Amino acid sequence: MVRKKVYVIAGGMITSLGRGMDRNVAAIRSGFTGVSLHGGFLKDGDGKDIPVMCGLVPEGIVRTLEEEFASGEKKLTRLELLAAGALSDAVSDAGSRGRETCSGKERSTERRALVLSSTKGNIGILKEPDCGIPDLPEDVFPDVTAKKIGRLFGYSPDDVYTVSNACISGVSSMVVAKRFIEYGLYDEVAVVGADELSEFIVSGFASFRSLSPEPCRPYDASRCGLNLGEAAAAVILSSRPESGAIVLSGGSVSDDANHISGPSRTGDGLYFAMRDAMEDAGVSREDISFVSLHGTATVYNDEMESKAVSLAGLSETPVQSLKPYTGHTLGASGVVETLFCIRQMQSGELWGTPGFRESGVPMPLDVSAESKRIGMRHCIKTASGFGGCNAAIVLSLPEYAADLPAKDLVETAVLRRTVLDRGTLSSGSGPEDFHSLIREKFRSSGLNDMKFYKMDDMCKLGYIASHILLEGLQFSPEDMAVVLQNRSASLDSDLKHLHNILSGPGASPAVFVYTLPNVASGEISIRYRIKGENTFFISSSYRKKDLETYAAAVLSSSRAKYCIVGWLEFLGEEYEADFELLGKKDGGSEPGTGKYNH
């Protein structure tokens, strides 16, 4: 049997350049950028506003969206308006092609899902520095946002998913959706990426000294940092072929296993994602027409990407960064830039990277400030983020998309399981607070990693749970994947960061880096040198069966032989880690042992 092809049949976007694909593309072709100086995010020691170079969605668009969605069952937040507007435009785009996709009308037995991709969701609505956990607004929980958008467009709550994987969230969500379709779980999947700027986010990046006071210049010798941006974008993926539709032909996710806030110094993690995405698509390096990189214009990101491109044998292939046009739009960036890649492939025009003059990276890159026409067949879109995560997808013109053998979803077996909560941590004597309990567990486990004491509480919980789960096992870096889920994302650390910026000493990079749930997966990956897939889902409750099914898709699609699957929640006094080690049922044994133990 031939593997199902996954077609990108429609799209919509809202960025600092405006609303709609055509408007955004026209702006880029005219040399416009949506990035400029804006106030309201940072203040100096005297309380004076510090302008920030960033890309904001025009407020006129937001007001139009408020009118457009005024009749909904619940008032939408600004972020939700942007997400709903982008999806509405994608639905209209599909309708203009003669399909009633995602319109909310009566339809047949087509199985549909929605995946929301967001780095920080509605975090901007938190305004009180010492907001108690019982007082948290429900809209700050990412899965609530996803289900609100789902209801607007007729999705069942059981078919709505949320991915929060730092800055690779958008590309990760494309990989998730692709697998949903390839393995017959759904016929159509809408991916919506959305993030907005707030003092919470801008202050965090500023604490890393990573913001540029001028338009960013990716890969240039004089680059001095990134420009942030906000956006929402949506794509509709389908198993049904559409005339002229681009094929999402390959996808992969990896981890550096190097550092939670700094990319690999060798580029191997991103290279693994690029290599495996090309292998998944059945293409070689000679087939790639261009690479649309993450390209944040920070020193270490750009250096790492040049090394990854070299390792992939693509140093002579044209590359670009699209960040100078819209700013770095976080979890939306992968979806926004995928749509930009599709337009370039369809037109045969490769857009330049504004501001580039002289290479400032260690390995050669074929990057230019000027646009040019090239022959198109396939392109690679990449992303990298905190926690060491990387993702890559391959997009193909339909006439060049390979017919590949179908893959069956492997059967899995639970090799090990561990549960860590108040009951299992407590010894029945001595202090019962989490900090005392987890430190005692760390000491009694014989671990000697001083970085443990710098982690946030959720990472400490996941670190100890993974140690118990994997104790005594041996495996290669690419043999293992990590797929986790929780309800609150990183809200426990979010509240600490919020306190710091609103009534404390100011933003701290040591706190801000933990305001991403996937950093917990990253800490596990660093501890065990895991360089396989690393994906973090958010859900109001543990969807164990769905997570195990997705882990089976990971094991069917990647080099991984085993997958850590589980629930990792920490918010206030409530915490739980419920981890399983899954392996292929016909794999025979645990890694590094001669026995089958489950």
Side-chain angles (χ1 to χ4, degrees):
M1 283 183 64
V2 176
R3 192 169 85 188
K4 289 182 181 179
K5 288 189 173 71
V6 179
Y7 298 88
V8 186
I9 63 167
M13 70 166 62
I14 301 169
T15 76
S16 54
L17 291 169
R19 181 179 183 181
M21 283 291 300
D22 291 341
R23 184 180 296 273
N24 275 264
V25 171
I28 290 173
R29 285 176 173 161
S30 299
F32 294 139
T33 174
V35 176
S36 60
L37 286 171
H38 294 276
F41 296 113
L42 296 177
K43 288 181 171 57
D44 64 17
D46 298 322
K48 184 179 179 182
D49 194 70
I50 302 173
V52 176
M53 187 68 67
C54 59
L56 298 184
V57 172
E59 282 307 303
I61 292 176
V62 178
R63 288 193 294 271
T64 300
L65 291 168
E66 287 174 340
E67 296 174 3
E68 188 175 330
F69 294 100
S71 60
E73 60 177 284
K74 285 189 177 181
K75 185 177 179 181
L76 301 184
T77 66
R78 184 175 182 274
L79 175 83
E80 292 160 359
L81 287 169
L82 296 177
L87 183 52
S88 177
D89 290 352
V91 169
S92 296
D93 184 31
S96 70
R97 301 167 192 265
R99 286 178 59 94
E100 293 184 348
T101 302
C102 296
S103 63
K105 297 179 181 179
E106 290 292 323
R107 48 181 78 75
S108 62
T109 58
E110 191 169 59
R111 296 163 298 169
R112 305 179 311 129
L114 170 68
V115 180
L116 174 68
S117 148
S118 188
T119 301
K120 290 309 302 174
N122 274 321
I123 198 65
I125 69 176
L126 285 183
K127 304 296 183 184
E128 295 297 326
D130 298 305
C131 177
I133 289 169
D135 302 320
L136 286 171
E138 68 167 5
D139 286 340
V140 82
F141 292 89
D143 193 48
V144 172
T145 291
K147 287 185 168 59
K148 282 172 72 175
I149 302 300
R151 284 194 296 271
L152 276 174
F153 292 88
Y155 290 93
S156 164
D158 292 338
D159 300 320
V160 175
Y161 302 83
T162 304
V163 172
S164 187
N165 245 42
C167 296
I168 74 166
S169 297
V171 181
S172 289
S173 294
M174 301 282 284
V175 176
V176 169
K178 175 179 180 288
R179 290 173 179 163
F180 280 170
I181 292 174
E182 279 182 346
Y183 291 107
L185 303 174
Y186 294 99
D187 304 304
E188 176 189 297
V189 182
V191 176
V192 182
D195 268 301
E196 65 174 348
L197 293 186
S198 63
E199 183 180 6
F200 184 103
I201 291 169
V202 177
S203 66
F205 277 94
S207 73
F208 275 97
R209 302 183 185 277
S210 60
L211 299 182
S212 172
E214 57 188 42
C216 68
R217 301 174 65 180
Y219 313 112
D220 191 77
S222 64
R223 70 191 184 278
C224 57
L226 59 81
N227 302 145
L228 290 170
E230 60 182 14
V235 293
I236 297 174
L237 308 178
S238 175
S239 60
R240 298 184 183 181
E242 292 284 329
S243 176
I246 295 293
V247 178
L248 174 53
S249 54
S252 181
V253 179
S254 67
D255 199 277
D256 291 341
N258 170 67
H259 193 277
I260 56 172
S261 62
S264 162
R265 298 303 175 88
T266 67
D268 64 344
L270 177 58
Y271 159 62
F272 291 155
M274 297 169 71
R275 175 201 66 192
D276 292 348
M278 287 191 286
E279 182 178 296
D280 188 36
V283 301
S284 65
R285 63 187 184 185
E286 293 80 15
D287 298 317
I288 303 301
S289 302
F290 71 97
V291 184
S292 185
L293 292 166
H294 196 50
T296 60
T298 54
V299 172
Y300 293 128
N301 175 85
D302 290 9
E303 287 187 358
M304 179 275 289
E305 288 187 315
S306 76
K307 294 172 183 177
V309 167
S310 177
L311 288 171
L314 295 167
S315 294
E316 297 181 2
T317 301
V319 304
Q320 67 179 186
S321 168
L322 298 169
K323 298 294 189 293
Y325 297 111
T326 62
H328 180 10
T329 59
L330 307 177
S333 63
V335 188
V336 169
E337 293 169 21
T338 292
L339 286 168
F340 284 155
C341 288
I342 288 171
R343 281 300 183 96
Q344 292 175 92
M345 294 182 74
Q346 291 171 333
S347 68
E349 178 186 21
L350 179 68
W351 301 335
T353 301
F356 179 82
R357 296 192 186 95
E358 178 186 358
S359 179
V361 292
M363 302 303 291
L365 288 176
D366 182 5
V367 58
S368 170
E370 304 301 320
S371 297
K372 57 185 177 183
R373 300 198 68 81
I374 63 172
M376 296 291 184
R377 297 176 73 180
H378 312 270
C379 87
I380 299 176
K381 170 73 201 112
T382 73
S384 300
F386 282 171
C389 54
N390 306 281
I393 56 174
V394 176
L395 300 165
S396 305
L397 290 173
E399 59 268 33
Y400 296 109
D403 290 327
L404 300 170
K407 297 178 183 178
D408 293 326
L409 197 63
V410 300
E411 287 189 66
T412 61
V414 178
L415 306 178
R416 289 184 173 189
R417 182 185 178 209
T418 187
V419 176
L420 211 56
D421 55 20
R422 189 180 305 278
T424 55
L425 272 178
S426 175
S427 62
S429 62
E432 291 293 306
D433 65 286
F434 173 79
H435 302 97
S436 299
L437 292 172
I438 203 69
R439 284 196 297 268
E440 176 55 34
K441 194 69 175 179
F442 175 75
R443 288 190 291 266
S444 65
S445 297
L447 293 165
N448 185 26
D449 183 355
M450 291 302 100
K451 290 189 297 182
F452 174 82
Y453 293 101
K454 297 181 180 180
M455 297 177 190
D456 77 340
D457 292 335
M458 187 168 78
C459 287
K460 289 175 181 174
L461 182 66
Y463 185 96
I464 296 298
S466 64
H467 169 73
I468 297 169
L469 186 76
L470 301 178
E471 190 172 13
L473 302 184
Q474 296 179 349
F475 47 87
S476 299
E478 294 183 79
D479 283 351
M480 188 71 69
V482 184
V483 178
L484 299 180
Q485 185 176 65
N486 77 3
R487 170 177 178 254
S488 64
S490 52
L491 270 171
D492 197 79
S493 287
D494 293 349
L495 291 172
K496 294 178 175 66
H497 174 64
L498 188 71
H499 173 85
N500 283 349
I501 62 175
L502 295 184
S503 63
S508 160
V511 175
F512 181 68
V513 71
Y514 288 106
T515 63
L516 300 164
N518 69 290
V519 168
S521 307
E523 292 284 21
I524 294 169
S525 296
I526 292 168
R527 169 70 175 84
Y528 291 99
R529 305 297 299 161
I530 295 171
K531 297 198 175 186
E533 178 150 341
N534 183 324
T535 300
F536 209 105
F537 291 87
I538 310 294
S539 177
S540 298
S541 59
Y542 187 14
R543 296 169 63 168
K544 184 176 180 180
K545 188 171 182 180
D546 288 343
L547 216 62
E548 289 175 339
T549 298
Y550 185 70
V554 171
L555 295 176
S556 303
S557 305
S558 70
R559 296 168 187 255
K561 300 175 183 176
Y562 311 97
C563 187
I564 300 170
V565 180
W567 177 258
L568 180 61
E569 173 67 357
F570 194 104
L571 184 58
E573 298 300 316
E574 300 300 321
Y575 55 88
E576 181 185 19
D578 185 346
F579 286 7
E580 294 178 336
L581 178 65
L582 293 190
K584 297 176 183 178
K585 201 165 189 178
D586 58 0
S589 66
E590 294 180 343
T593 73
K595 60 183 179 180
Y596 202 101
N597 178 18
H598 63 93

